[in-house]
Amino acid sequence: MKQKILMTLFGMLIGITSVWSQTDSTAPAPPPNSPSSGTKKLFLPGEAITMYQYSSTKGTPDNSSFTPVQISMFPLVKVSDRIFFDGGIQFGITDGGAVNVGLIEMMLYYRITPWMSAFVGNIAPHFGVYEGLLDDFTCRFGTGVAPVGMVHGPVNQNGVGIQGGFQAGYSKFTYQFYVVNGPQLITDTITHGAGNQSGEMSYGQVVDTKRAKGYGWHVGFLPFSNSRLELTYSGEYTPTTVPDGSGLQNVSSTAMAFGLNYYQVFNPVMVRVIAEYDMIEASNANYTIPSSTGTDSSYTYKNKQNGWFSGATLRATGSKNNFIKNMEIAGRLGAYNPPQNALWGGNQTTQTTFCVTEYLKWDLPLSLEYDVLKQAGSPDTKIFSAIAFFRF
Amino acid sequence: MKNKIKVIFFLASVLTLGGAAIYGCKTPASIAAKSGAQLWGENCNRCHNAPDPTTYSDDQWDVVAEHMRQKALLTDVEITKIRDFLKSAN
């Protein structure tokens, strides 16, 4: 099986190389000894987010906090005309004042052809409309409360792949295919009752002892010549999510997302529409549930979760008043459906979001966000967030 | 399971090689004639506000262009024209 996969990948590369050899590169070759050729270039941008948040749930005390959320650095290195390094490190702070450090991503790219790059490292898959990365810079709806309907599927993983984009007549295609360690099924034999996580997927595997890897894909289609509409289909399939010998080694995982991103200027207003549907499903399994009386039991459930969100924004880009011109008004609806019968599952959660963003500069949004979260059988939660986002 | 993998990789292969074949076709003149400024406006705004060309130095634009080539999966023609346009302001 592995041989077939490797042969398929090899065949793809051979085919690609042969097609490339028949087409002219559109990138002009740099002149010999040009200072812009083969010279390493380091750029170290970063971002910091700080926030005030007020949360109210009926039956529980309200709470409000000023939160220095995180600071992130992105070492970007153009090693040569073909080789590029893209990294990201995040620093956060805990309640006790301790600093925690996290890896956002670490990818090394090699441009094989004008329309294909290979990459290796800790990758953020292009999954859904935000393509694995959600921040105030790209999100028009604020990030005080993450959309409940987003990224029920793969997040950062270690692996290798290819990606690129190419013109096809008046339309354009983008793609990404990769092989990663893949998710590992959580089998929780310790937690009693509702907190038991058995059946969830953990995507943070560094050492992979499973029999098979995860295979991911992303295809984007931009039908209009002005690139204003992007339709995406992405997913990841992992045939086995547990090492052999546990009895659960045949539990597979399939994740998929459909995304839409569209913007249009109806002078003087720019309208943007963003929508996503995503899901993750694992095949059926019997999970052991620990008992406080000493007699363990087992249970099974339909392990499928999905989410969606859809939103629109308005911005008066044609206004002569700078304050108005730099203001964006946004509204979003979304929902998350966990596996209803799982111990960690439950009822649907819906989310309604309103957000007003003022761009102090092109990359410095200041957002006021209001979220209402509803779940059957629970009181509504209302959250107000004021978020300052700095890029430097 | 094995069939699923075969189907996925078959589709991936067809798509990639099919796409490559399409790529080899002639790009319409109106698309090929697009300026860097036009492509800058169309593509950057799809995800975030388009930056002012004076924001960064030439060397920084070189790095940012490679970053956006990979993040936004821009075509080679697009990113080359956009990069040249952004650098032309310095």
Side-chain angles (χ1 to χ4, degrees), chain B:
Chain B
M1 303 297 178
K2 287 181 179 177
N3 283 339
K4 268 191 176 179
I5 295 175
K6 283 179 187 173
V7 168
I8 288 167
F9 271 85
F10 174 75
L11 290 175
S13 306
V14 168
L15 195 72
T16 308
L17 295 175
I22 293 169
Y23 175 83
C25 298
K26 190 172 173 63
T27 301
S30 60
I31 303 290
K34 281 187 180 182
S35 68
Q38 186 179 355
L39 291 166
W40 160 78
E42 288 177 355
N43 286 282
C44 302
N45 271 317
R46 198 166 71 245
C47 298
H48 56 74
N49 299 325
D52 189 288
T54 59
T55 306
Y56 297 123
S57 69
D58 282 4
D59 280 351
Q60 288 173 330
W61 279 130
D62 273 341
V63 180
V64 171
E66 286 307 309
H67 173 69
M68 291 316 305
R69 177 203 296 274
Q70 303 299 347
K71 285 298 166 198
L73 303 178
L74 298 174
T75 70
D76 193 57
V77 173
E78 285 172 340
I79 199 61
T80 302
K81 285 186 175 180
I82 290 171
R83 183 189 59 210
D84 291 347
F85 161 70
L86 292 169
K87 287 166 73 170
S88 70
N90 290 324

Side-chain angles (χ1 to χ4, degrees), chain A residues 181-209:
Chain A
N181 284 342
Q184 186 150 326
L185 186 78
I186 295 175
T187 50
D188 184 349
T189 56
I190 298 171
T191 312
H192 304 282
N196 190 287
Q197 299 294 303
S198 285
E200 283 204 275
M201 294 291 163
S202 168
Y203 282 90
Q205 298 307 307
V206 176
V207 177
D208 182 25
T209 55

